[in-house]
Amino acid sequence: FSIDGLFDMVERWVARDAVVQVAFDPDHHFPAEIRLTARPGPDAWATIEARGWRSLVAQREPRALFNGRDLSGWHADVPAADTNPNVRSAFLVRNGLLVSLGEPRGHLITDSSYRDYRLEIEYRFPATPGNAGVLVHASTPRALYGMFPRSVEVQMQHGNAGDFWCIVEDIRVPDMERRRGPPAEWGTTEGKARRIRNLTDGSEKPAGEWNTMVIETVGRSIRVWVNDDLVNDGSDATADRGRIALQSEGSEVEFRKVSLTPISALTGTP
């Protein structure tokens, strides 16, 4: 039984911002008998029930992917740990913040996969600003250079926040040649032109100050803002769902918010 399929079915019946209630077996965590009712329109709703089973309400409200206490819901993939079991963790919680130490290099990856969402991240470089990133639609681990999972990276590197990097997945923007280079050099694997430059300069705040990055993905489109500036807008991505990953890539980064809201349409642009 596919939970993703269940929610896809519900979304075909109801309008945006529907509330969905699913009943789960407390021991086996999957629905049995299901009943669906729906009312379309501006106050659309739907209910899925299984009698006598524990219910879970899933609403289109923000949900914290980082709880401020520990890394529940995430797992780390740090290649250096394969050969050195004593290598320090690249990710930790310190003073209520999720911290990527920058070394050893690797990724902190959500246990769950997601599609059609608004991801809001508040981050800062507490000392010398450097490199990091947020990966969306992540799937096969270590698909590039034995390190990076197959995904589309939204760059956080200081001065380039909002660039797309194609990691064995691809995406298009309207002015591809200007922002990616000659088409003959494009690609998604080692040695290819994988970077798609962002739309703005000066959107980031100085080191030590908090930045807000918003990433929206709906279908095969990805739209990104940094501190309310639209910095990238892509379509025709080769993936439309997957895990979310945070990088440890050379510089310490602190996160105080990682929040996800299901959506069914991208926020409009001016």
Side-chain angles (χ1 to χ4, degrees):
F1 186 89
S2 167
I3 295 299
D4 285 342
L6 175 60
F7 278 83
D8 286 346
M9 177 179 67
V10 170
E11 289 184 348
R12 287 197 295 270
W13 277 77
V14 299
R16 186 179 180 183
D17 299 324
V19 176
V20 179
Q21 181 169 317
V22 186
F24 285 88
D25 181 333
D27 297 317
H28 300 97
H29 309 294
F30 57 84
E33 180 184 355
I34 297 171
R35 179 167 58 87
L36 169 66
T37 56
R39 181 176 65 213
D43 58 344
W45 58 272
T47 304
I48 304 166
E49 296 178 347
R51 294 181 181 178
W53 291 34
R54 185 176 62 181
S55 65
L56 172 70
V57 177
Q59 295 179 304
R60 291 185 179 275
E61 296 177 350
R63 54 175 291 199
L65 298 185
F66 168 56
N67 62 22
R69 301 183 304 276
D70 56 37
L71 299 180
S72 299
W74 300 79
H75 62 275
D77 180 37
V78 177
D82 294 351
T83 54
N84 181 4
N86 297 318
V87 70
R88 73 171 183 174
S89 174
F91 304 95
L92 52 84
V93 177
R94 183 177 66 203
N95 299 325
L97 303 176
L98 193 165
V99 183
S100 168
L101 295 173
E103 297 289 348
R105 302 195 177 204
H107 296 84
L108 186 68
I109 305 169
T110 57
D111 295 337
S112 299
S113 294
Y114 302 95
R115 62 178 296 189
D116 298 348
Y117 56 82
R118 175 185 174 93
L119 181 68
E120 186 171 349
I121 294 174
E122 294 180 2
Y123 73 95
R124 69 179 179 185
F125 293 97
T128 303
N131 199 9
V134 181
L135 279 54
V136 299
H137 303 335
S139 56
T140 307
R142 306 188 191 183
L144 185 73
Y145 295 117
M147 171 68 70
F148 301 94
R150 182 171 182 162
S151 59
V152 176
E153 177 185 350
V154 180
Q155 180 66 270
M156 291 171 55
Q157 184 178 45
H158 186 68
N160 298 305
D163 287 358
F164 288 141
W165 279 86
C166 301
I167 305 175
V168 202
E169 298 287 5
D170 213 345
I171 192 167
R172 298 188 63 83
V173 298
D175 47 352
M176 283 279 281
E177 290 194 44
R178 181 179 69 84
R179 295 168 56 195
R180 194 172 186 175
E185 298 178 5
W186 299 350
T188 64
T189 56
E190 291 90 339
K192 299 295 185 179
R194 299 184 295 107
R195 179 188 180 191
I196 302 175
R197 290 170 173 79
N198 65 23
L199 294 167
T200 66
D201 293 314
S203 295
E204 300 162 64
K205 296 182 180 179
E209 296 186 23
W210 290 100
N211 295 281
T212 298
M213 175 178 282
V214 174
I215 303 169
E216 290 187 352
T217 77
V218 174
R220 298 187 180 275
S221 296
I222 302 175
R223 189 169 289 171
V224 184
W225 294 260
V226 173
N227 298 322
D228 297 323
D229 290 344
L230 179 68
V231 295
N232 227 326
D233 192 0
S235 60
D236 298 324
T238 53
D240 64 359
R241 69 194 72 191
R243 302 177 192 270
I244 296 166
L246 306 177
Q247 288 185 324
S248 174
E249 200 177 12
S251 301
E252 184 170 311
V253 188
E254 295 177 337
F255 300 86
R256 67 179 181 185
K257 180 179 183 180
V258 184
S259 176
L260 183 146
T261 305
I263 60 174
S264 57
L266 298 172
T267 299
T269 58

